[in-house]
Amino acid sequence: MSSWQQRCNYLVSLAQNKLRGHKVFDLCRSHLVEISQISRGTIYNHFPHESDLIVAVAAAEFNDFWHQAQSITQYPHNPLYWYLYHYCWRLHEVTCRKRFVISRVMPNTELQQQASADHQAAFTKAYERYLYWNRQQIQQMGEVQGFDRCTLVRDFIRGTMINVSEEAVDAHDVQLYYQYCYALIQLLGQSDKRVPTREQISQWLKWMTPTPVHADQRMKFALEHLMTV
């Protein structure tokens, strides 16, 4: 990976962390100058437009989601539980670690068109790869005809993530995740399948790591970079 790409990853990581707890994407390129101690010119070279920063953060978020989904090893032959575990992890990231809900702003065709070609391409690749994983999981569950389950579930998940980010909820409330799993199972057309028990969900919450491995690697570079500036 080139030093240019490493620096870009570092800046995006800073942006992701700075957005924790925010209800809107109110981070600008000028804020990165303050928190990174990197020159304005360098940051503006990485992100020529404000939309580039938003699109770059969105690409990193969906890459994080995909990497986390790939790291799940508990249910290799149970696509439903694999899917539920992943989305419980995403819910936990929002409730416990105050992760910004990127689906508040992306995907957004207008924003994407305003961004530079490289950032557009990176986002499209990350987002489509994540959508493909979702479609694969749903198909492997035994897709129920009559509804576009991917869109139906995606809209529900988006609304849930936004709602919990705006309310004071207990990030470790097993009942919250149990009800979430129950609703997902119904929307997926898998009502004949068993909802994970509260004991299983409690164990899931213990397994959930704070960040995906590749995000930790980006932050490792961030620390190394700070040691040299």
Side-chain angles (χ1 to χ4, degrees), residues 102-139:
I102 196 62
S103 54
R104 286 178 180 271
V105 294
M106 290 292 285
N108 181 308
T109 302
E110 184 178 348
L111 269 177
Q112 289 170 243
Q113 291 175 343
Q114 293 171 5
S116 303
D118 288 349
H119 290 298
Q120 284 189 46
F123 172 77
T124 298
K125 179 181 178 181
Y127 185 65
E128 290 186 350
R129 181 172 65 170
Y130 186 57
L131 283 186
Y132 179 73
W133 176 82
N134 278 269
R135 286 193 295 267
Q136 271 194 320
Q137 296 302 112
I138 291 174
Q139 288 172 1

Side-chain angles (χ1 to χ4, degrees), residues 10-205:
Y10 162 58
L11 292 169
V12 169
S13 294
L14 288 181
Q16 286 177 284
N17 284 324
K18 188 68 174 176
L19 284 166
R20 290 187 185 277
H22 289 220
K23 304 297 187 294
V24 296
F25 198 112
D26 52 2
L27 187 72
C28 300
R29 294 174 296 172
S30 59
H31 296 144
L32 284 183
V33 177
E34 299 173 18
I35 61 178
S36 70
Q37 299 301 302
I38 293 177
S39 72
R40 182 180 300 269
T42 297
I43 288 174
Y44 280 41
N45 281 336
H46 279 285
F47 311 108
H49 312 285
E50 294 294 348
S51 55
D52 286 314
L53 178 58
I54 299 173
V55 172
V57 168
E61 288 288 295
F62 285 106
N63 274 325
D64 284 353
F65 300 157
W66 184 85
H67 279 281
Q68 195 282 334
Q70 301 310 302
S71 73
I72 299 169
T73 58
Q74 290 88 348
Y75 302 104
H77 306 298
N78 189 334
L80 175 60
Y81 276 31
W82 188 347
Y83 190 90
L84 294 175
Y85 181 92
H86 170 69
Y87 278 102
C88 281
W89 171 82
R90 282 192 56 184
L91 186 64
H92 186 261
E93 280 286 293
V94 174
T95 58
C96 182
R97 294 183 41 82
K98 308 304 178 186
R99 191 176 195 132
F100 178 70
V101 180
I102 196 62
S103 54
R104 286 178 180 271
V105 294
M106 290 292 285
N108 181 308
T109 302
E110 184 178 348
L111 269 177
Q112 289 170 243
Q113 291 175 343
Q114 293 171 5
S116 303
D118 288 349
H119 290 298
Q120 284 189 46
F123 172 77
T124 298
K125 179 181 178 181
Y127 185 65
E128 290 186 350
R129 181 172 65 170
Y130 186 57
L131 283 186
Y132 179 73
W133 176 82
N134 278 269
R135 286 193 295 267
Q136 271 194 320
Q137 296 302 112
I138 291 174
Q139 288 172 1
Q140 290 172 15
M141 292 173 204
E143 190 171 4
V144 179
Q145 300 300 317
F147 296 95
D148 182 347
R149 298 288 172 178
C150 288
T151 301
L152 190 66
V153 173
R154 186 166 67 245
D155 289 346
F156 169 74
I157 290 169
R158 179 181 183 276
T160 301
M161 296 292 177
I162 291 173
N163 287 341
V164 298
S165 73
E166 295 177 345
E167 299 173 2
V169 299
D170 180 358
H172 305 288
D173 179 9
V174 173
Q175 185 64 18
L176 171 69
Y177 298 90
Y178 181 85
Q179 292 173 341
Y180 183 52
C181 287
Y182 177 84
L184 284 173
I185 287 174
Q186 301 305 308
L187 291 171
L188 288 164
Q190 304 293 324
S191 57
D192 59 321
K193 305 291 175 51
R194 181 178 298 177
V195 181
T197 66
R198 291 170 177 79
E199 289 74 20
Q200 284 176 305
I201 292 173
S202 179
Q203 182 61 55
W204 288 3
L205 296 177

